[in-house]
Amino acid sequence: MEINRKDDLSSPLLQHPDDVVVAISEKTRTLVFKVVGITCASCVASIEAALGGIEGVQSVMVSVLQGRAVVKYVPEIIAAKRIKEAVEDAGFEVADFPEQDNAMCRVKIKGMACTSCSESVERALRTVDGIKKAVVGLALGEAKIHFDPNITNTNHIIQAIEDDAGFGAELISSGNDLSKLYLKLGGITSSDDFTIIQRSLESLEGVNHVEVDPGQQIVIISYEPNVVGPRSLIQCIQEAGEGSNTYQATLYTPPRGGEMERQQEILMYRNQFLWSCLFSVPIFVSSMVLPMLPPSGDWLEYKVFNMLSVGMLLRWILCTPVQFVIGKRFYAGSYNALRRKSANMDVLVALGTNAAYFYSIYVIVKALSSDSFEGQDFFETSSMLISFILLGKYLEVLAKGKTSDALAKLTELAPETAYLLTLDSEGNLISETEIDTQLIEKNDILKIVPGAKIPVDGLVIDGQCHVNESMITGEALPVSKGPGDKVIGGTVNENGYIRVKATHVGSETTLSQIVELVEAAQLAKAPVQKLADQIAKIFVPIVVLAAFLTWLGWFIPGETGLYPRSWIPTSMDAFEFALEFAISVLVIACPCALGLATPTAVMVATGKGASLGVLIKGGNALQNAHKIKTIVFDKTGTLTVGKPAVVSFQLFCVISEEDFCGMTIAAEINSEHPIAKAVVEHARLLRQKHGFENNQLTEVKDFKVHPGAGVSGKIGEKAILVGNRRLMQMFNVPIGGEVDTYVSENEHLARTCVLVAVEEIIAGGFAVTDPVKPEASLVISYLRSMHISSVMVTGDNWATATAIGSQVGIDRVFAETDPLGKADKIKELQLQGASVAMVGDGINDSPALVAADVGMAIGAGTDVAIEAADIVLMKSNLEDVVTAIDLSRKTMSRIRLNYMWALGYNILGVPVAAGVLYPLIGIRLPPWLASACMAASSVSVVCSSLLLQYYNKPLEAKAVERNYISQGIEERRGAV
């Protein structure tokens, strides 16, 4: 990614997507609105009196001149609507009132197993007043919720998830948690110390919220990094003590929420599986193995009372804790699902295990009360079912943890420590201190040594180096950095010593915003997931009905003798035989795999894309990209480098090359025009070729700029002109046939010719153009092989646009088009039935980026273009256009394959479990084996998604680099 732009240092590369209308803090909010009808101080007093007496209103300021009121209030006590009503009751009209405000929070949801669960949580959240949008991610186990803080808050949201949906919920972050500092306190002797520290911190400007945990002696501070920094907060705590009572504060790193939750979940399923095996294996051995090995299993047939055998009693004792202690999670999940009028996997498991267990209890009761009853218990079915399901969940959570590996690697890029420099007013070093990266504040001066990681985004103020930015942008070649250049946190200084001024810290860094963007993308649902959501709504009821019909289909014919009695095992009757088939149908059908098919693939693909320098903003963009049939390219900065360069040079008279270049540099170095800078740079390269240093230049006299034509002046006694054909005509310099041919040929190629005349004789000329990116023609050719047509739309003139289009291989060119015209051209192409993508980099491209089905912004472009786009190409390399589309196609193919796995298990498994093969070849699926198949379906889907981690770009960077180098050599040869 090109980051050497020196503008826009005050704003981060990727803006936060949820701008809040009203300033937020957790305790108080500030409301600004217009009051119509204020004429004097008496009106102000009336409004202040009306609001000042309301509980929850902390302060009221009313301006007579501006007609505006500024009210500071506590939203947990009073709603903003009540403030408006109070002003209207006082006889005034309220205008410009922010009725709907925006806030966002992320909540961790525990216990979701399938799409039905996530649907239930979404339904519960939609019923809460004030919630405008809620997206629940099954694979991540998180919800992203947009709400109106004037109506509800995070406590109500969590309560709705827990009470109405029946799932555990825990707040991950809210809108004001972007900059948080965790500090471990020392020197605490009483509870009053916590109060003193909290009040001291809250008195600091820029501190939004302070939360103290007395148990762990931790303080959590939400603050504004533009106003206050972490070192100031630590100093405030240390200075809060009085006399001998001194406090200490050190950085505390809380366990990563998602990772800790995942490890706990893995540990929980592993332990439950092992405990289940401890009971289930003996049950299985006593039921299925020992009876087949006489006389070692004869003791199991010993009768305890009537027909109740030792084996039956032993299996009952061992199965009960598995059913009701280890398997209680299925009862709780079923209860919560049925309470919210839905059904999930837990319902199927509970039905299957309960049918087996309680039928076995019936068998025991009959055996106790009869001296002739012979029945078969199903305790091994119940216990083995639970064991295999727990094994499947254990393997599933293990695999699911791998889906966010790419994101985890991104978060670990920032170094733990940095060297902070203290300089005097003249820039001399006073001290050097190694500090934790979390303590870096804005405008700090940091030392970056060779091989060290850059801790935060900043600006180089001293030194030269090459920085490896591949971990952020995917760009393989190191980027040269010098004073005034931007550097990105997490990148590596390969050589050279530099000093960096911190410009973006904490959540404002590029790395933090990339992580936030990818997390949001992983949470968002792809449209293709709607299929799974629709199936999930009717899945469980259909499976229950199928299981009941299976039982009837085997029980009734068995009782009436419609199939041979020899089909039924000797230890069973028709009821038990039919019951086994029904239980197998219940447990083999799994809605979990359907629910995981899309989100796991989206998680892996967006993470992989980020590691390759392609930021995909959600499942919608990922899905739409695979349908692209037409790509519209901007020209300047997209197909071209965006910076003028000399591509051809020629002498027209007898003059040495070094003298010619020296005079050209002397004249042009005073011009600020981009073309002049390109000529000077090329002329310097030619002088260096002949061994001349840049400082060996003659001063130009009588320098004069001729707007739109060029410059003139004197070098010694010789008059020199540097400019276009019009400048030569202004000074009556004759243009010979050779010069005219050179100019005409280059103008035909849309190049600008800069002629140099010495003493009214044209000595030579340069052809200047904005060079095409070296990979552009290769990308256009590859897109054509993917059956994607390319179009160029530019505001440049027709001659230049046509020449560039011909050079890169684009036939359809639209020139002299304004920004709105670009958007209109996108709509025209869409009306022709094509799915259209737009690739651009400037502010003028943002309307077209929004209008397109998929907008792709070049990463070195403007923030506006990046915000408007669906996909950000961080490297500014056109090959990533191909990468984005190809990754989308591979992901959609993987999702379709996942659906085949998920539906295939159910479509093929349910009939087999129902016994359709038994009359033909005598194969039936025992319930415990059906549960193993059910567990395998989810694991196979997650593992299928994980294969996307091995995705390789279709256009390898090395091939493009070789093309770039060879093209550069040829251009240099032609120019020299």
Side-chain angles (χ1 to χ4, degrees):
M1 174 171 100
E2 169 134 1
I3 57 168
N4 293 339
R5 294 162 53 236
K6 300 177 179 59
D7 54 334
D8 299 330
L9 293 179
S10 60
S11 60
L13 174 67
L14 302 175
Q15 303 292 328
H16 194 276
D18 302 307
D19 293 326
V20 181
V21 178
V22 181
I24 300 177
S25 77
E26 191 139 324
K27 294 180 64 178
T28 62
R29 295 177 61 82
T30 302
L31 194 62
V32 182
F33 55 91
K34 188 175 181 180
V35 182
V36 180
I38 299 179
T39 56
C40 60
S42 176
C43 299
V44 173
S46 299
I47 295 171
E48 290 179 346
L51 295 176
I54 300 176
E55 184 183 2
V57 175
Q58 291 191 342
S59 64
V60 182
M61 292 183 292
V62 182
S63 170
V64 178
L65 295 176
Q66 296 179 339
R68 288 192 174 274
V70 180
V71 182
K72 194 174 182 180
Y73 70 104
V74 181
E76 293 183 356
I77 299 175
I78 182 173
K81 187 178 179 181
R82 174 73 183 88
I83 295 173
K84 178 185 177 184
E85 292 172 350
V87 175
E88 291 174 339
D89 291 343
F92 297 92
E93 182 182 346
V94 175
D96 298 338
F97 190 83
E99 296 282 356
Q100 293 294 317
D101 200 359
N102 283 319
M104 186 273 289
C105 68
R106 289 173 57 217
V107 177
K108 184 72 178 177
I109 301 174
K110 304 172 185 177
M112 291 195 300
C114 60
T115 308
S116 175
C117 300
S118 60
E119 283 282 320
S120 299
V121 175
E122 287 187 2
R123 281 199 303 271
L125 289 172
R126 282 196 290 267
T127 62
V128 179
D129 291 338
I131 290 183
K132 292 182 253 183
K133 182 182 178 183
V135 179
V136 180
L138 174 63
L140 276 177
E142 293 180 11
K144 185 177 180 181
I145 303 155
H146 297 262
F147 63 97
D148 183 354
N150 298 320
I151 301 174
T152 189
N153 55 38
T154 54
N155 293 331
H156 294 153
I157 291 170
I158 290 174
Q159 185 179 358
I161 296 172
E162 292 178 340
D163 295 346
D164 298 339
F167 294 96
E170 181 181 335
L171 184 67
I172 298 174
S173 66
S174 56
N176 59 321
D177 289 342
L178 294 177
S179 293
K180 258 190 177 183
L181 185 67
Y182 293 78
L183 297 175
K184 186 79 172 178
L185 301 176
I188 304 297
T189 57
S190 67
S191 59
D192 293 337
D193 294 333
F194 293 113
T195 305
I196 293 170
I197 292 172
Q198 184 168 358
R199 288 178 179 173
S200 299
L201 289 169
E202 288 175 339
S203 66
L204 280 181
E205 185 181 2
V207 174
N208 293 331
H209 179 64
V210 179
E211 181 181 344
V212 176
D213 183 351
Q216 299 188 55
Q217 295 195 347
I218 293 170
V219 61
I220 306 167
I221 310 161
S222 297
Y223 65 97
E224 299 175 17
N226 290 324
V227 182
V228 68
R231 297 199 302 276
S232 304
L233 297 172
I234 291 176
Q235 184 180 356
C236 175
I237 293 174
Q238 293 171 343
E239 294 175 351
E242 297 180 357
S244 60
N245 191 16
T246 59
Y247 305 127
Q248 297 87 41
T250 55
L251 281 172
Y252 171 76
T253 304
R256 282 177 53 195
E259 181 63 22
M260 184 174 64
E261 290 284 344
R262 188 173 71 85
Q263 292 300 329
Q264 289 177 349
E265 190 177 20
I266 290 172
L267 192 62
M268 177 195 72
Y269 279 118
R270 190 199 68 178
N271 291 341
Q272 287 185 350
F273 170 67
L274 292 177
W275 276 108
S276 179
C277 286
L278 183 65
F279 294 96
S280 300
V281 171
I283 296 173
F284 181 79
V285 171
S286 69
S287 175
M288 309 294 289
V289 179
L290 290 179
M292 302 174 64
L293 301 173
S296 57
D298 292 348
W299 62 275
L300 293 169
E301 299 301 322
Y302 178 78
K303 300 298 186 291
V304 177
F305 184 82
N306 283 342
M307 298 302 292
L308 179 64
S309 66
V310 171
M312 197 179 294
L313 182 61
L314 180 64
R315 289 191 289 272
W316 180 28
I317 294 171
L318 291 174
C319 181
T320 299
V322 177
Q323 181 72 31
F324 297 107
V325 179
I326 298 172
K328 68 179 181 180
R329 62 181 306 277
F330 301 112
Y331 286 101
S334 301
Y335 169 75
N336 289 323
L338 295 173
R339 186 166 61 87
R340 58 180 179 260
K341 298 178 181 178
S342 67
N344 59 10
M345 184 201 74
D346 291 336
V347 173
L348 296 178
V349 174
L351 282 173
T353 57
N354 279 331
Y357 181 85
F358 285 106
Y359 177 75
S360 301
I361 294 295
Y362 165 77
V363 170
I364 285 181
V365 172
K366 288 284 289 182
L368 280 170
S369 59
S370 172
D371 57 1
S372 60
F373 174 77
E374 291 185 3
Q376 174 67 35
D377 65 87
F378 290 107
F379 287 122
E380 84 286 347
T381 297
S382 171
S383 60
M384 294 300 289
L385 269 176
I386 292 173
S387 297
F388 273 107
I389 289 167
L390 291 174
L391 173 62
K393 295 301 291 183
Y394 172 62
L395 296 174
E396 181 185 320
V397 294
L398 272 178
K400 280 167 63 179
K402 301 288 184 182
T403 58
S404 56
D405 275 357
L407 189 60
K409 289 176 183 176
L410 279 175
T411 61
E412 294 168 359
L413 286 177
E416 294 182 358
T417 60
Y419 290 100
L420 174 67
L421 303 181
T422 304
L423 308 178
D424 60 19
S425 58
E426 297 180 358
N428 299 316
L429 179 65
I430 298 175
S431 65
E432 178 181 312
T433 310
E434 187 175 8
I435 64 171
D436 194 288
T437 306
Q438 296 181 60
L439 296 179
I440 296 175
E441 300 179 0
K442 277 195 174 181
N443 300 319
D444 279 347
I445 306 300
L446 307 170
K447 180 182 82 170
I448 313 296
V449 296
K453 287 184 178 180
I454 297 169
V456 295
D457 292 5
L459 193 68
V460 178
I461 60 172
D462 186 30
Q464 297 280 344
C465 72
H466 283 81
V467 176
N468 184 343
E469 299 179 340
S470 60
M471 61 284 294
I472 299 290
T473 66
E475 180 60 63
L477 294 176
V479 182
S480 176
K481 301 291 180 183
D485 291 339
K486 291 180 183 179
V487 288
I488 305 174
T491 57
V492 179
N493 175 17
E494 290 203 339
N495 55 42
Y497 166 89
I498 56 172
R499 289 180 179 179
V500 173
K501 180 180 181 181
T503 57
H504 299 97
V505 298
S507 61
E508 294 181 347
T509 63
T510 299
L511 180 60
S512 297
Q513 296 200 358
I514 289 173
V515 170
E516 183 183 347
L517 189 70
V518 177
E519 284 180 338
Q522 291 181 343
L523 193 60
K525 287 185 179 180
V528 71
Q529 194 171 342
K530 291 179 181 178
L531 172 63
D533 294 343
Q534 292 169 353
I535 294 174
K537 291 178 182 178
I538 59 172
F539 187 89
V540 174
I542 288 177
V543 170
V544 173
L545 179 62
F548 179 71
L549 293 176
T550 299
W551 179 79
L552 285 178
W554 283 101
F555 174 63
I556 294 175
E559 286 292 305
T560 56
L562 292 180
Y563 59 79
R565 180 67 181 82
S566 60
W567 286 8
I568 304 175
T570 55
S571 59
M572 296 184 185
D573 58 20
F575 179 88
E576 296 165 346
F577 186 57
L579 183 62
E580 272 211 344
F581 283 115
I583 294 173
S584 295
V585 170
L586 279 175
V587 297
I588 200 171
C590 177
C592 301
L594 278 171
L596 293 170
T598 298
T600 53
V602 170
M603 282 181 67
V604 177
T606 50
K608 183 64 178 179
S611 68
L612 295 173
V614 179
L615 294 184
I616 303 171
K617 298 182 180 180
N620 194 42
L622 187 65
Q623 179 172 337
N624 287 341
H626 93 283
K627 298 182 289 187
I628 295 302
K629 294 299 179 186
T630 302
I631 296 186
V632 176
F633 289 93
D634 175 47
K635 181 184 76 68
T636 307
T638 302
L639 288 172
T640 65
V641 175
K643 181 182 176 182
V646 174
V647 293
S648 175
F649 159 69
Q650 187 171 333
L651 292 176
F652 300 116
C653 69
V654 181
I655 185 173
S656 67
E657 195 173 280
E658 55 269 30
D659 289 343
F660 173 79
C661 290
M663 288 188 289
T664 302
I665 294 171
E668 287 282 72
I669 201 167
N670 295 307
S671 174
E672 292 296 322
H673 197 283
I675 291 179
K677 291 181 178 180
V679 169
V680 168
E681 182 181 354
H682 190 78
R684 278 178 169 164
L685 289 173
L686 292 174
R687 280 173 62 84
Q688 288 175 7
K689 172 188 169 186
H690 294 283
F692 285 85
E693 298 297 330
N694 293 338
N695 55 6
Q696 297 175 347
L697 299 174
T698 307
E699 184 179 355
V700 65
K701 299 177 181 178
D702 300 332
F703 178 79
K704 187 176 181 181
V705 176
H706 304 275
V711 298
S712 63
K714 278 191 174 184
I715 297 177
E717 297 300 322
K718 295 181 178 180
I720 185 169
L721 300 171
V722 183
N724 56 21
R725 188 198 297 257
R726 187 154 64 92
L727 181 69
M728 302 301 140
Q729 293 170 347
M730 287 169 56
F731 284 85
N732 299 317
V733 176
I735 299 176
E738 184 183 8
V739 176
D740 188 64
T741 302
Y742 177 78
V743 172
S744 299
E745 287 177 352
N746 281 287
E747 285 181 347
H748 181 71
L749 296 172
R751 297 171 179 172
T752 300
C753 282
V754 177
L755 302 175
V756 181
V758 181
E759 290 293 302
E760 299 185 354
I761 297 174
I762 297 178
F766 300 87
V768 183
T769 188
D770 180 4
V772 171
K773 286 184 177 178
E775 73 276 9
S777 59
L778 177 63
V779 168
I780 301 301
S781 174
Y782 197 90
L783 288 172
R784 193 176 296 113
S785 71
M786 297 171 69
H787 306 290
I788 297 174
S789 61
S790 299
V791 177
M792 184 171 71
V793 180
T794 178
D796 213 336
N797 61 73
W798 276 100
T800 302
T802 304
I804 296 296
S806 175
Q807 189 173 347
V808 299
I810 296 178
D811 299 326
R812 299 178 67 186
V813 175
F814 301 94
E816 300 176 6
T817 309
D818 60 20
L820 294 179
K822 290 183 180 181
D824 291 338
K825 186 58 63 178
I826 296 284
K827 293 172 184 175
E828 285 181 24
L829 293 170
Q830 288 171 331
L831 289 173
Q832 296 172 12
S835 185
V836 181
M838 170 70 191
V839 184
D841 72 319
I843 293 174
N844 60 335
D845 297 323
S846 54
L849 290 169
V850 173
D853 296 288
V854 177
M856 299 185 189
I858 297 294
T862 64
D863 292 337
V864 175
I866 290 170
E867 280 301 296
D870 302 300
I871 298 174
V872 180
L873 311 178
M874 298 291 289
K875 289 194 303 182
S876 301
N877 194 320
L878 286 176
E879 82 174 69
D880 286 337
V881 173
V882 175
T883 302
I885 296 173
D886 186 65
L887 179 59
S888 170
R889 291 183 176 184
K890 292 287 195 304
T891 305
M892 293 309 299
S893 297
R894 184 61 54 181
I895 289 173
R896 285 191 284 267
L897 181 62
N898 287 351
Y899 278 133
M900 288 176 61
W901 275 109
L903 291 171
Y905 268 103
N906 291 306
I907 292 172
L908 298 177
V910 169
V912 172
V916 295
L917 297 180
Y918 190 68
L920 301 175
I921 55 178
I923 291 179
R924 64 189 180 97
L925 209 59
W928 63 268
L929 188 56
S931 68
C933 292
M934 184 272 283
S937 65
S938 296
V939 176
S940 64
V941 164
V942 177
C943 291
S944 171
S945 295
L946 284 173
L947 291 176
L948 285 169
Q949 288 186 337
Y950 300 100
Y951 170 81
N952 291 315
K953 297 164 65 172
L955 289 177
E956 290 296 333
K958 290 183 179 179
V960 176
E961 285 168 20
R962 286 196 297 269
N963 184 30
Y964 181 93
I965 293 169
S966 62
Q967 183 172 337
I969 291 172
E970 291 301 321
E971 287 183 356
R972 290 294 182 196
R973 286 175 178 170
V976 174

